[in-house]
């Protein structure tokens, strides 16, 4: 990371750190409370909400895991999220490559058509979407989720990826064309590796969105064995309203995978996100 | 090869051969058209019908729009629209003041900015529903950690029915959503600040400008385009608001509709709620079309304005 | 082929045939509701299979607030269950009107059901659902706390207020109140209204002779406000599930609650004892009334592919045996005549008495005829109570709003 250019003096530095630290606490505190409460008993959560737990009840997790049927939901969420990303990255990077590199009539219009999706909240079209999913016999399937997620991820992905493709110097491709590479292999072998960082950003962004969505599973899924994590948590909250230990530990279980993935990839992700937004 | 339609086929093949790159756009276009564009066009069609979701559809022209703007739904629609606008103003103010402020702090510090960035962005990765559940527990009037914290430190007057008071409920929800979302504007502003050429700052310093003046005369004007971009996003986002309100207050958006926005109104009308028989898929579709027709031109306009400010 | 082999083959064929037909005859009946009764339906299935071994019940429960939308979407797409749990009153009519559930009174025997329960599962004199629960809503009190301060169940409204004063003077929160969800507040208002307004006036209201704007009704709204000083701090943000937890944890001496709450009170504090009483009337000579209503009914999906099997399940739900099981499992009141509550469930026995001797003949809130149109009274009253408790509206304004809202579609109000 390049260094910032404006460097105030020592006293100001300390004050700034104080502000940043204060905000970090505001951000982390509720998450910390959740983690702490998830290893307490219900009564202890009420009597001692802030303190360190009297004993670490790690079995809260296994209890919540079993009660909520989380292993099944996990598999479903993982399947839907991973597949969504793979399909989405493939189709939108191909389209973005073409939109960024080929001059043809209607290019601009096509790009605008895709980008306008950023302003179309898919959720508002849920009724016709539902009717269609029913008519093509995809109701109560994970495929339905996959399709809707891929389609609704396309606008943002194309928006980001077109910007990235445009930033790659044209000479690289020209060399490949001279070497006699076909269109698809230029895209696949040369361009795709170059936009790796952007793909990672798009991938993580959509992973978070897909993993966290509850609306479409709520509408499309019927069978409990197909539920994803947020829907499972929702169901769980409906059933165990009075068992706070279970509620907090189920929240922790639902949140932790995303946090881990984000932590691992945060640097890359933040760079990609902000680069795209600033250019847009 | 069949000789009967040689010209058509070969011209099609020729077109494809010449524009073979279009094949690469096809999968994305197909998915996007089928699962986004087509349902939206259908929404517009439904909005002209009276349809409870079951049974036959009756064409009623602009009847649903009349209900929204002048009829039984007017009061709800106007209130929800006001709440959306309020949410936008608050959201935009918070992200400008705190987002920019914290970004400036991050920009200026010499150490630890990467760690801070990760921390600030962390809540963005959490599902809105789960954030809702979490804060619902934290804001519980009797057992919630928020009120108990205020009581513990002697600020009893701040122990309030946060989500139950019609005056506090929407601001509380917007505060929770800021807690979740502020990381994004912070990072975007930071990136914008880092992109400002050093010469500008140097030149100003030579002219004798001091800390605050530099911020005022150099940084603020230069990050105006970013502010507009964020404003557009904030607008789109607040007009789509639904998840968090749904998780915290349910579709009835209580107390006494104090947190009702167009998104929750749409959901309630489309699917009906507990014990309420008011459902109308056609009416719901009309609300969707109204939301969309506010969203699209306004965000287009905002985007155009922000382009003007770019250097 | 020798004889031994032949016999073997014949036996094998017979076995396969029998096994095959048994397998083929297994019929799975799907049933959805919002009540979280997995164990109960497993027990019901077991009972039904004693007589119809081929029947299986595929029971699914949904989050109460999501149930209606999921059911609506499911029915619309032809993916609905064989047996639909309908909410009483308008919930039945909503599905009966477009013919999505079958008329049942010609197919099933409803002789065990009292007239009152059946009317809320009917449309145009046809019965479209099997009622399964009657609910009453009343005041619960903590017997220990009441005894400690020498309090008695109040016979008049003033005595109730006096009890509250005594409790408050001793540092005990008199009422734990759930102000977060509108529907909970609507239930509280109708519970108070039942005794304050009286059966006669309410019948007059439903017939259109009386109006919400009458001083009598406005007074019943003020009665809720009268309790406000006795509610716990920040009651506006307390949800129904907070109440279910706080009352048994002795955060207050009294609360408004439904029959269905006893089970969760007992789960949280099994050692404690609860008493319950109806809202006392203003004058001692007046009769207290219970806001009793039919909670829901099982309907038969007209598009069911397992009609025969589903009917067998429904048939069982009309039997005394089912009623008995329902009472024992759920500790709620079954509408089926002659069902007795087990001796140890004192609250339930009392609830049965409320239904028998104090039930309003006509109701005006949740599940009543005033919820059949849009806007419905339950929603109006729920949001309206939040508005008057927070001071946004006066009771008079709310009363006017209720009158015009209901009059916009309810014929008897449109004179």
């Amino acid at each position: 990371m390049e260094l910032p250019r404006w460097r105030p003096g020592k006293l100001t530095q300390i004050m700034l750190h104080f502000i940043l630290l204060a905000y970090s606490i505001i951000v982390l505190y509720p998450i910390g409370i959740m983690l702490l409460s998830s290893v307490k008993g219900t009564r202890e959560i009420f009597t001692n909400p802030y303190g360190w737990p009297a004993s670490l009840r790690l079995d809260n997790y296994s209890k919540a895991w079993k009660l909520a049927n989380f292993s099944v939901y996990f598999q479903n969420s993982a399947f839907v999220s991973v597949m969504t990303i793979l399909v989405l990255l493939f189709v939108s990077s191909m389209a973005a490559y073409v939109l960024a590199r080929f001059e043809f009539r209607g290019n601009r219009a096509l790009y605008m058509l895709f980008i306008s999706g950023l302003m179309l909240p898919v959720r508002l079209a849920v009724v016709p979407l539902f009717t269609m999913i029913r008519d093509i016999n995809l109701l109560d399937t994970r495929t339905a989720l996959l399709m809707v997620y891929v389609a609704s991820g396309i606008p943002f992905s194309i928006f980001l990826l077109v910007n990235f493709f445009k930033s790659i110097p044209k000479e690289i491709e020209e060399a490949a064309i001279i070497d006699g590479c076909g269109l698809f292999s230029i895209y696949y072998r040369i361009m795709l590796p170059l936009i790796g960082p952007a793909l990672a950003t798009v991938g993580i962004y959509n992973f978070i969105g897909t993993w966290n969505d509850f609306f479409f599973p709520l509408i499309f899924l019927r069978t409990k064995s197909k539920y994803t994590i947020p829907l499972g948590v929702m169901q769980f909250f409906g059933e165990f309203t009075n068992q706070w230990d279970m509620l907090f530990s189920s929240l922790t279980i639902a949140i932790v995978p995303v946090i881990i993935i984000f932590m691992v990839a945060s640097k890359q992700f933040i760079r990609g996100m902000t680069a795209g937004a600033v250019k847009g | 090869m069949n000789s009967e339609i040689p010209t058509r086929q070969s011209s099609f093949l020729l077109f494809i051969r010449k524009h073979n790159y279009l094949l690469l756009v096809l999968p994305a276009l197909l998915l996007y058209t089928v699962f986004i564009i087509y349902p939206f066009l259908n929404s517009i069609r439904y909005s002209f019908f009276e349809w409870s979701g079951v049974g036959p559809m009756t064409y009623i022209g602009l009847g649903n729009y009349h209900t929204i703007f002048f009829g039984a739904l007017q009061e709800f629609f106007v209130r929800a629209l006001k709440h959306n606008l309020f949410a936008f103003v608050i959201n935009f103010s918070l992200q400008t003041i705190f987002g920019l402020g914290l970004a400036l702090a991050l920009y200026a510090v010499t150490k630890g900015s990467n760690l801070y960035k990760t921390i600030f962005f962390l809540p963005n990765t959490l599902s809105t529903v789960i954030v809702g559940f979490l804060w619902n527990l934290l804001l519980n009037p009797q057992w919630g950690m928020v009120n108990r914290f205020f009581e513990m430190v002697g600020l009893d007057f701040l122990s309030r029915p946060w989500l139950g008071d019609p005056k506090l409920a929407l601001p509380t929800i917007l505060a929770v959503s800021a807690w979740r979302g502020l990381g994004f504007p912070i990072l975007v502003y930071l990136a914008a600040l880092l992109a400002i050429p050093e010469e500008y700052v140097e030149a100003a310093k030579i002219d004798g400008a001091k800390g605050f003046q530099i911020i005022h005369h150099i940084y603020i004007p230069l990050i105006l385009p970013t502010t507009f971009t964020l404003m557009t996003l904030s607008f789109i986002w607040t007009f789509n608001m639904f998840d968090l309100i749904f998780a915290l207050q349910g579709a009835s958006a209580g107390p006494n509709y104090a947190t009702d926005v167009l998104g929750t109104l749409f959901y309630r009308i489309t699917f009906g709620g507990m014990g309420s028989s008011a459902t109308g898929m056609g009416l719901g579709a009309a609300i969707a079309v109204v939301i969309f027709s506010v969203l699209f031109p306004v965000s287009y306009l905002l985007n155009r304005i922000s382009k003007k400010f770019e250097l | 082929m020798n004889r031994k082999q032949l016999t073997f083959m014949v036996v094998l064929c017979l076995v396969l045939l029998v096994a095959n037909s048994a397998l083929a005859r297994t019929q799975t009946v799907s049933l959805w509701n919002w009540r979280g009764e997995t164990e109960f339906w497993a027990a019901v299935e077991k009972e039904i299979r004693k007589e119809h071994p081929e029947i299986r019940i595929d029971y699914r429960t949904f989050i109460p607030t999501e149930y209606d939308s999921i059911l609506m979407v499911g029915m619309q797409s032809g993916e609905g269950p064989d047996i639909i749990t309908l909410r009483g009153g308008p919930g039945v009519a909503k599905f009966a009107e477009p013919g999505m559930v079958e008329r049942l009174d010609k197919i099933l025997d409803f002789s065990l059901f009292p007239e009152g329960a059946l009317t809320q599962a009917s449309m145009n004199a046809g019965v479209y659902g099997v009622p399964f629960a009657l609910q009453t809503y009343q005041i619960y009190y903590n017997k220990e706390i009441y005894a400690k301060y020498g309090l008695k169940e109040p016979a008049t409204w003033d005595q109730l207020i006096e009890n509250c004063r005594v409790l408050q003077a001793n540092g005990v929160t008199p009422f734990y109140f759930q102000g977060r969800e509108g529907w909970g507040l609507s239930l509280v208002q109708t519970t108070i209204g039942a005794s304050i307004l009286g059966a006669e006036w309410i019948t007059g209201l439903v017939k259109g002779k009386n109006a919400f704007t009458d001083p009598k009704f406005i007074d019943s709204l003020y009665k809720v406000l009268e309790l406000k000083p006795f509610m716990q701090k920040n009651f506006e943000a307390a949800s129904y599930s907070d109440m279910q937890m706080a009352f048994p944890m002795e955060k207050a001496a009294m609360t408004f609650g439904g029959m269905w709450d006893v089970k969760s009170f007992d789960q949280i504090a099994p050692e404690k004892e609860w008493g319950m009483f109806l809202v006392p009337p203003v004058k001692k000579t007046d009769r207290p009334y219970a806001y009793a209503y039919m909670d829901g009914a099982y309907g038969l999906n007209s598009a069911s592919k397992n009609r025969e099997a589903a009917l067998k399940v429904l048939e069982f739900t009309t039997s005394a045996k089912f009623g008995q099981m329902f009472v024992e499992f759920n500790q709620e009141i079954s509408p089926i005549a002659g069902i007795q509550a087990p001796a140890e469930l004192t609250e339930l026995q009392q609830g049965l008495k409320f239904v028998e001797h104090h039930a309003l003949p006509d109701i005006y809130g949740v599940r009543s005829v005033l919820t059949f149109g849009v806007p419905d009274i339950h929603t109006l009253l729920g949001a309206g109570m939040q508005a008057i408790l927070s001071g946004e509206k006066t009771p008079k304004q709310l009363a006017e709003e209720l009158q015009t809202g209901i009059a916009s579609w309810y014929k008897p109000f449109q004179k």
Side-chain angles (χ1 to χ4, degrees), chain A residues 53-162:
Chain A
S55 64
L56 288 180
R57 295 183 184 222
L58 291 173
D59 60 324
N60 275 357
Y61 295 124
S62 55
K63 242 166 87 189
W65 182 272
K66 273 197 214 104
L67 270 176
N69 213 4
F70 267 130
S71 55
V72 178
Y73 304 156
F74 240 95
Q75 284 168 25
N76 293 332
S77 277
F79 172 79
V80 172
S81 308
V82 171
M83 286 303 287
T84 297
I85 289 163
L86 290 180
V87 178
L88 177 66
L89 289 181
F90 184 62
V91 300
S92 51
S93 64
M94 282 197 304
Y97 169 57
V98 173
L99 291 171
R101 276 297 195 259
F102 291 84
E103 294 294 331
F104 57 93
R105 212 149 49 121
N107 181 322
R108 182 83 191 143
L110 200 56
Y111 178 71
M112 286 311 284
L113 179 72
F114 278 125
I115 297 305
S116 67
L118 283 173
M119 292 163 232
L120 290 177
V122 206
R123 166 176 301 149
L124 294 180
V126 63
V127 176
L129 192 59
F130 180 86
T131 326
M132 187 180 69
I133 296 284
R134 177 195 69 197
D135 292 344
I136 55 177
N137 264 328
L138 284 181
L139 215 58
D140 199 21
T141 64
R142 284 162 295 189
T143 317
L145 291 181
L146 178 67
M147 293 297 166
V148 174
Y149 289 147
V150 170
S152 57
I154 284 176
F156 184 69
S157 313
I158 286 190
F159 168 69
L160 261 184
L161 294 176
V162 165

Side-chain angles (χ1 to χ4, degrees), chain C residues 382-415:
Chain C
M385 289 309 297
Q386 288 177 324
I388 62 173
L389 280 167
S390 67
E392 282 187 311
K393 276 181 196 145
T394 65
K396 191 159 177 283
Q397 282 172 323
L398 174 59
E400 277 158 11
E401 211 181 277
L402 297 178
Q403 188 66 25
T404 45
I406 301 301
S408 71
W409 59 269
Y410 184 57
K411 291 269 150 46
F413 274 33
Q414 292 170 342
K415 288 170 298 186

